[in-house]
Structure formats: C-alpha cells, structure tokens
Amino acid sequence: MNFLKRHAYALLFSAVLLGANTYSLLKVFVIPSAVTTVATSTSTSTSSTASTSTGEVTQTDTSYKDDNISITITTGQTSDTTYYVADITLSSAEYLKTALAQNTYGTNITETTSSIASSNNAIFAINGDYYGANSTGYVIKNGTLYRDTSRNSDYDDLAILSDGSFMTYNENDTTAQELIDAGVVNTFAFGPTLVSNGEIAVSESEEVGQAMSDNPRTAIGVIETDDGSLHYIVIVSDGRTDESSGLTLYEMAELMQSYGVTTAYNLDGGGSSTMYFNGQVVNKPTTNGNTISERAVSDIVYIGY
C-alpha cells in the first residue's frame, strides 16, 4: 500500500509539474496578455489621406507626395530574390511613428501589419520588431516607456530620436529612462545593426539565432541630409519560395549600403516581413513554405498623420 501511495504521489507531482511547465510555455508564446490599451494617434477616417495631409496630394500605385511626405516604391532583383525599396523623405520626424496590435501593449497581442496600418490611417507601413514575443528588452513606442527590463543579447538595439535621427546602443550600457531623457521616442530590440557609419556591420556568415541564411527580411536605414529633411530607406525582401529564395544578413546590408545609408538595422523577418503602401500589401509575405499570407505581429513602423 505504501508503495502504491508513493507512486501515486510521484505521478501527481509529475502531472502538476508538467502542467505548470506547459502553462509557462503557453503564457510566453501563445496566451495573449494585455497590459495597457493605447489610444490611436490618428482619426478613424477610412482614407489614409482624408483630412490629414497638407497641400495637394499626388499619388500613384508606387508613389505618394504631399507637402510633408514623399514616398517612392521600387522593385529589384538580386541573388534570386525579389526585394522592395521605399525611398522616404519627411519634413518632420512627427510623421514617422509606431503602432501596436489592437492598440494594446502586452505579450502575444497580434494583428496583421496591414490591419494595424489601416487602423492608424498609415500611408506606408512595415512590420516592427515583434516585441510581444519576448518578455525582456526595452520597449519605447511613440515616446511612451512600456518595458524597462533589459535583454541579454549580443545585438544592439535601434533608437529613433525625436529629431528623426537613428542611434544604436546596447541595453547593458544604458537604462530605458536614460533613453527617454535623451529624447528617444521609439526603440527596436531585434538586430543586428547592418550598416554603421556607412560601413557594413555584419559578417558574411552572420545570422539571427538558428534561422536559415536566406530569408524574407525587413530593414530600415537613414541617409544623412544637408537640407533639414529626413531621408529613410526601407527594404523588404521576399523569400522561402521557388520564385524568391531570400537574402542573407550580409546581402541585405550590401543593399542598404548601396543606397547610401549611414545606419541600417535589421527588424523582424521571416513570415513577419511585410510592406504596406496606400492600402495594399506590396510584397508577398510567406508564413509557411509557399503559402502567401501575412503573419500577425505585435507592432509596426509607419508613415502617416
């Protein structure tokens, strides 16, 4: 009898332990956990240009221009991969913003890039760093500090300051509050830095974690200007299909450097890589093999009013 009791207790303990571990994994990777709701920064108009832009708006399937925002989309081919380039000029950093899925900060709160962009009347948008899949890493969005616990990573973060300039930093060297005090309005904890001071900052063999070398990619870069305007380059590549194999980090860095950026940073890629422009998804996001569909993400970077 005592033998049976001991085994019963052991089985019960094992079941409780397994249940606790399963719940912990689900909480980290699956179960949505909302922390706070964020108000949208734009009106609820269904048109991305209605009652927002200033001056005459000129737009085509591949371009948009008004008094403050100029965006041109081009498509290229390299290394058996299709990529899309957004050349963006802004009169002010106030038009470069971020938005959260379901206007909510938390873990595993997701929505497609196009849906978040539409809700915020974005003219242009890309996926962000998928902060919600992690429990650490500084999170500052549109000047609000949401998370101040540092991540343990070999890669630097990207910060966008209130003047629209870029800065990369290591979380071990600063605090989130110090970043806020320095004028940082948006942070991205993914990486790595692709271009620094105009030079390629990754090796030809470097890769994010255990990911394949050829992947869909999303990257953002800045070009220094002398006229006071803000000039950005965003590149999204397709991948993981027969038509488009994807880019390595080094190949993306080479592309960014070819456009004259001084700093470029690698955002979340793979199935997350999405470019949205004037109400349409520009690229072909791949979530599973050859399946063309958007992956739901936790945040976006966008251009709009």
Side-chain angles (χ1 to χ4, degrees), residues 72-147:
T72 302
I73 309 291
T74 56
T75 303
Q77 190 82 16
T78 186
S79 303
D80 297 319
T81 298
T82 302
Y83 65 89
Y84 310 83
V85 182
D87 191 316
I88 303 166
T89 304
L90 307 176
S91 65
S92 170
E94 66 181 295
Y95 308 119
L96 174 60
K97 307 178 185 183
T98 53
L100 307 182
Q102 302 180 41
N103 297 318
T104 301
Y105 168 74
T107 56
N108 303 312
I109 307 293
T110 62
E111 196 177 353
T112 63
T113 293
S114 62
S115 178
I116 306 172
S118 178
S119 296
N120 287 272
N121 294 330
I123 300 168
F124 171 87
I126 53 171
N127 61 285
D129 65 355
Y130 212 141
Y131 79 86
N134 302 299
S135 58
T136 61
Y138 297 159
V139 178
I140 301 172
K141 301 298 182 186
N142 297 322
T144 298
L145 173 59
Y146 293 103
R147 188 166 66 204

Side-chain angles (χ1 to χ4, degrees), residues 284-295:
K284 296 179 180 178
T286 51
T287 55
N288 184 20
N290 290 324
T291 302
I292 307 299
S293 64
E294 285 185 78
R295 173 193 287 171

